[in-house]
Amino acid sequence: MSAIRVKICGLNSPQDVAAAAAAGAAYVGFVFFPKSPRNISIEQATQLALEAPVGLCKVALTVNADDAMLDTLTDAVPLDMLQLHGSESPERVAEVKARYGLPVMKAIGVADAADLPQIDLYSQVADQLLIDAKPPKNADLPGGNGLAFDWRLLAGRKYWQRPWMLAGGLTPENVAEAVRMTGARQVDVSSGVEAAPGQKDAALIARFSAAAQSVAV
């Protein structure tokens, strides 16, 4: 049996980071996207990253960020991984990996079986994949919308070429079922552990992590 690795995304306070660490999370995510209620400044992220316990993987979520933005971000914040959550092409993913020397996680939106080939395509260039619910058309946010997709699409597909993480509409109540149905060994949550948009709840974080890690895989 191996433990499910949990990512708590959209953190914006030292209390959030402490709650994620106490719950046994493997990753914490900081959002750099002005339209998001979880958006934080580079200065905030720097402080949070410096205060994070050793061993907690610090992930920066960006959306179609250009080199100038990524230069500023990586120069200031001690990060362990970049998460590309926009419409970045495979070529752009490869460019970011080469330029910054950090592992890159590419988010891929899934609504139906027609979206699955993108997973194989990006697995050739990304270090990890985040499989999320595809946002509705004209949505302001590419993720963090609290939407799930049909997890049966991933059943029996435990092994792509790269490690992958399940996201989209996960909560303390459904994460165990999602893990059992998909075979995911990593899960990502943001809105599912919030009391209000952008406000994390330490009790929900603890419940989510416990529920995810209760599943034998």
Side-chain angles (χ1 to χ4, degrees):
M1 188 179 80
S2 59
I4 302 298
R5 292 165 63 83
V6 172
K7 176 169 172 278
I8 309 295
C9 197
L11 307 186
N12 56 27
S13 74
Q15 293 78 16
D16 290 348
V17 175
Y27 306 82
V28 289
F30 306 127
V31 173
F32 301 92
F33 185 58
K35 291 183 179 181
S36 172
R38 303 163 191 97
N39 182 59
I40 60 174
S41 69
I42 287 177
E43 291 74 22
Q44 284 176 287
T46 301
Q47 192 60 40
L48 293 179
L50 289 172
E51 293 177 4
V54 173
L56 194 58
C57 183
K58 301 174 292 295
V59 184
L61 185 159
T62 65
V63 180
N64 300 323
D66 60 17
D67 286 350
M69 163 59 181
L70 293 177
D71 286 350
T72 301
L73 179 61
T74 55
D75 284 348
V77 186
L79 295 168
D80 301 303
M81 183 177 290
L82 295 171
Q83 177 178 330
L84 307 184
H85 214 105
S87 58
E88 298 90 357
S89 67
E91 293 75 19
R92 177 58 177 159
V93 174
E95 286 176 4
V96 170
K97 276 186 60 174
R99 182 177 178 91
Y100 299 101
L102 288 169
V104 173
M105 179 186 298
K106 179 66 180 85
I108 300 166
V110 170
D112 54 43
D115 297 312
L116 297 180
Q118 294 291 309
I119 299 172
D120 290 310
L121 179 64
Y122 281 98
S123 71
Q124 298 173 37
V125 290
D127 296 285
Q128 293 209 41
L129 306 165
L130 185 138
I131 303 176
D132 198 357
K134 181 180 283 188
K137 288 184 178 179
N138 303 317
D140 285 337
L141 304 179
N145 292 295
L147 300 175
F149 61 95
D150 186 351
W151 297 321
R152 291 172 296 183
L153 291 167
L154 304 184
R157 293 295 306 270
K158 287 186 181 182
Y159 306 109
W160 276 285
Q161 295 179 42
R162 294 287 184 268
W164 63 278
M165 186 176 291
L166 181 67
L170 298 177
T171 67
E173 290 72 33
N174 69 15
V175 65
E177 177 191 2
V179 169
R180 282 191 290 266
M181 189 174 292
T182 63
R185 303 206 171 188
Q186 302 190 111
V187 291
D188 174 280
V189 67
S190 186
S191 61
V193 291
E194 290 182 343
Q199 296 179 22
K200 292 293 185 285
D201 183 304
L204 290 176
I205 290 173
R207 283 177 51 206
F208 181 91
S209 185
Q213 296 178 15
S214 71
V215 184
V217 294

